[in-house]
Amino acid sequence: MARTITRSNQQFRKALTRLPLGVASNFRYWGPEKTIYVKRGRGARVWDIDDNEYIDYRLGYGPCILGYADPRVDEAARAGMEVGGVFALATEREYEVASRVAKMVPAAELVRFSNSGTEAVMAALRLARAYTGREGYVVVEGGYHGVFDAALWYTAVEGWTPAQGDPDLLPYSEGVPWLLRSLIYSVPLNDAGKLEAVLKNHAHKIAALLIEPIMGNCCALTAERQYMQDVRALCTRYDVLMIVDEVKTGFRVARGGTQELMGVKADLCTFAKAMANGYPISVLAGREDVMRKLGNGVVHGGTYTAHPVSLAAAGRTLQILDDTPALETIAAYGRALQTGIGRILARRGIAHSFVGHPSMGGLFFSETPPTNYRDWVNTDYTFYDTMAPTLHDLGILCEPDSREPWFICEAHDEACLAQTLERFEKAVDMTLRKLAPNGMCQA
Ligand SMILES: Cc1ncc(COP(=O)(O)O)c(C=O)c1O
């Protein structure tokens, strides 16, 4: 039966009268006849309000690491509810969860909680400035660090050519003050030489380097291990704090995040999504001498910080991720999915490659994946863009924007895998037929 989203469309028109774009976040708007409203999620599956069922590979942009409505985490959250609310006072569980974070992430000597990834990264940057007494910061092209003004800048690579010099860095939103531009230095991923040149000339004005070693918002473009080690060494040599943003990768790609995978220790690091299976909580963690500036000159806090419900959910989620093979199960599914997808594409002579980590993998329709954002813009994403709506129609929920990796959770099981591969094969053939008149993407 063909998928219809009549109710979602009705809901959209109604919601539009009260909510800009009819949604609560710009990124949830997929277009006037395409925006989906969710009824519920269970395990790895989501149902929209038209009762269409999807196997979900978005997982809310990553938080749902165990599966929707995971009974173990929800039971803990209900116990958190029994605590009674927020008190503008501390509760005991803060220490317990902070200790678990410290156990899993060696860089997390001290820990502070916030509610969202944005808040954690914002606090990290402020803390770095306070600690170093400098205001500038380095970002990596293609990275995303949340919706605060200092982070809402993007590298304008569309239409750019290397002959023009480095690409421009532009505000990603109206309302972001131009004033901030003078504080930002931008470098391409996997080019330690470029970073060194920036630090050599400007380190005296730079507080920190902010990096997402697997770019969860840029098709999972991945830093090479050697590059990360070089970045670590350069930050140390030039006395610039290394902030590793693990909001998407933390407690997902490994117990200790990308830092464990790449053998580096950040000065400060940020976590959010996977740490509470979807309950709102985030972490700013790092070196003791830096973190002790909090409350000693640097403001950090918030009414809902370390909310007992989220904190209890985080405690239970982290315990499961730390003490059970959940992450190994997730990675194994990701590998099996990539192998299956690879076979389907190879049988049709379609060039492809995977990047990132099996638990959050990016798919490229080229034999060699890009190594940074400048290359990414030259990749052909027509095939993906054409295929994504077909996958939705077939009940596979992936992000329509090819920059978002496919996320895996523990609840993705054998049935999900078999159904996904069968439908993916169908979608590939439908896409080939759609694109055939132009002869695109065919070997
Ligand atoms: C790497 C990274 N940092 C920060 C953020 C911001 O997190 P939040 O959306 O919870 O504010 C995101 C969100 O996708 C992210 O991927």
Side-chain angles (χ1 to χ4, degrees):
M1 201 176 72
R3 183 181 72 128
T4 56
I5 54 166
T6 318
R7 277 170 185 265
S8 275
N9 288 339
Q10 281 165 359
Q11 181 66 26
F12 172 72
R13 287 190 286 275
K14 189 166 79 175
L16 210 49
T17 65
R18 280 283 174 245
L19 298 149
L21 294 180
V23 289
S25 159
N26 288 8
F27 309 107
R28 297 177 195 173
Y29 169 74
W30 287 8
E33 301 288 314
K34 297 176 188 154
T35 299
I36 300 171
Y37 292 80
V38 170
K39 186 189 274 180
R40 68 194 176 100
R42 291 287 181 282
R45 293 175 195 256
V46 162
W47 288 263
D48 67 19
I49 60 173
D50 289 278
D51 284 325
N52 294 303
E53 180 180 319
Y54 306 89
I55 301 171
D56 189 8
Y57 291 99
R58 296 175 70 254
L59 303 178
Y61 293 142
C64 175
I65 185 89
L66 300 172
Y68 292 109
D70 183 275
R72 299 162 294 181
V73 179
D74 288 353
E75 187 192 5
R78 275 191 292 276
M81 223 172 271
E82 295 301 318
V83 176
V86 285
F87 313 99
L89 288 170
T91 60
E92 283 182 334
R93 198 171 272 128
E94 292 165 23
Y95 171 79
E96 179 197 315
V97 179
S99 299
R100 176 71 71 171
V101 171
K103 172 174 179 273
M104 295 171 82
V105 182
E109 292 171 10
L110 293 185
V111 170
R112 269 285 174 95
F113 298 102
S114 290
N115 301 298
S116 66
T118 295
E119 274 184 80
V121 183
M122 197 162 63
L125 209 48
R126 180 186 303 135
L127 178 57
R129 287 180 169 138
Y131 181 83
T132 58
R134 304 175 216 129
E135 295 195 343
Y137 54 102
V138 184
V139 295
V140 178
E141 294 170 4
Y144 176 79
H145 302 286
V147 289
F148 64 110
D149 289 347
L152 276 179
W153 295 79
Y154 77 98
T155 309
V157 285
E158 308 264 350
W160 165 87
T161 59
Q164 296 167 311
D166 290 332
D168 284 340
L169 191 69
L170 300 174
Y172 186 53
S173 166
E174 291 177 29
V176 171
W178 263 107
L179 205 64
L180 293 174
R181 176 66 189 85
S182 62
L183 300 177
I184 314 173
Y185 301 84
S186 172
V187 293
L189 186 73
N190 287 324
D191 187 340
K194 282 261 185 199
L195 175 63
E196 179 156 25
V198 166
L199 295 183
K200 204 179 241 172
N201 293 319
H202 306 285
H204 60 289
K205 291 184 280 185
I206 295 174
L209 164 108
L210 188 51
I211 186 166
E212 216 190 327
I214 298 178
M215 297 180 125
N217 305 274
C218 198
C219 216
L221 290 184
T222 301
E224 289 151 15
R225 194 181 158 86
Q226 184 57 51
Y227 171 75
M228 286 303 290
Q229 312 236 340
D230 292 345
V231 169
R232 176 64 275 178
L234 287 168
C235 285
T236 304
R237 182 171 345 138
Y238 287 94
D239 193 22
V240 159
L241 295 186
M242 181 181 183
I243 306 175
V244 176
D245 183 354
E246 303 246 31
V247 162
K248 266 190 177 163
T249 52
F251 312 116
R252 167 172 282 283
V253 299
R255 286 170 181 79
T258 57
Q259 296 174 72
E260 179 182 319
L261 290 184
M262 297 176 185
V264 293
K265 199 169 161 193
D267 297 306
L268 292 174
C269 41
T270 51
F271 299 88
K273 308 207 179 220
M275 69 176 286
N277 204 42
Y279 287 89
I281 187 164
S282 61
V283 150
L284 161 63
R287 251 171 57 191
E288 177 167 2
D289 59 329
V290 184
M291 290 291 289
R292 293 271 180 223
K293 278 290 287 174
L294 295 173
N296 185 19
V298 179
V299 172
H300 174 266
T303 305
Y304 300 108
T305 294
H307 191 288
V309 173
S310 296
L311 203 58
R316 186 72 178 109
T317 305
L318 292 177
Q319 185 205 352
I320 293 167
L321 296 177
D322 197 15
D323 294 345
T324 76
L327 290 181
E328 286 73 22
T329 305
I330 291 167
Y333 183 99
R335 278 192 297 274
L337 181 67
Q338 291 186 356
T339 304
I341 287 177
R343 281 200 191 115
I344 291 166
L345 295 173
R347 276 202 295 271
R348 286 154 181 81
I350 300 171
H352 62 278
S353 46
F354 295 98
V355 293
H357 185 269
S359 70
M360 51 178 287
L363 166 62
F364 283 100
F365 289 96
S366 59
E367 253 161 48
T368 324
T371 55
N372 63 38
Y373 191 47
R374 296 181 187 195
D375 294 346
W376 173 80
V377 86
N378 297 319
T379 58
D380 182 357
Y381 34 95
T382 316
F383 196 90
Y384 185 92
D385 290 350
T386 312
M387 185 172 60
T390 308
L391 283 168
H392 300 161
D393 283 340
L394 293 171
I396 303 297
L397 200 56
C398 59
E399 182 68 14
D401 183 340
S402 63
R403 273 171 289 197
E404 193 70 16
W406 284 40
F407 288 98
I408 313 296
C409 68
E410 195 193 19
H412 279 113
D413 57 14
E414 286 296 318
C416 291
L417 184 65
Q419 283 170 352
T420 302
L421 292 176
E422 184 203 319
R423 294 171 194 183
F424 189 89
E425 185 153 30
K426 234 184 237 172
V428 168
D429 287 336
M430 288 164 78
T431 307
L432 283 172
R433 281 197 292 277
K434 267 189 209 161
L435 294 174
N438 307 325
M440 293 179 76
C441 286
Q442 286 187 299

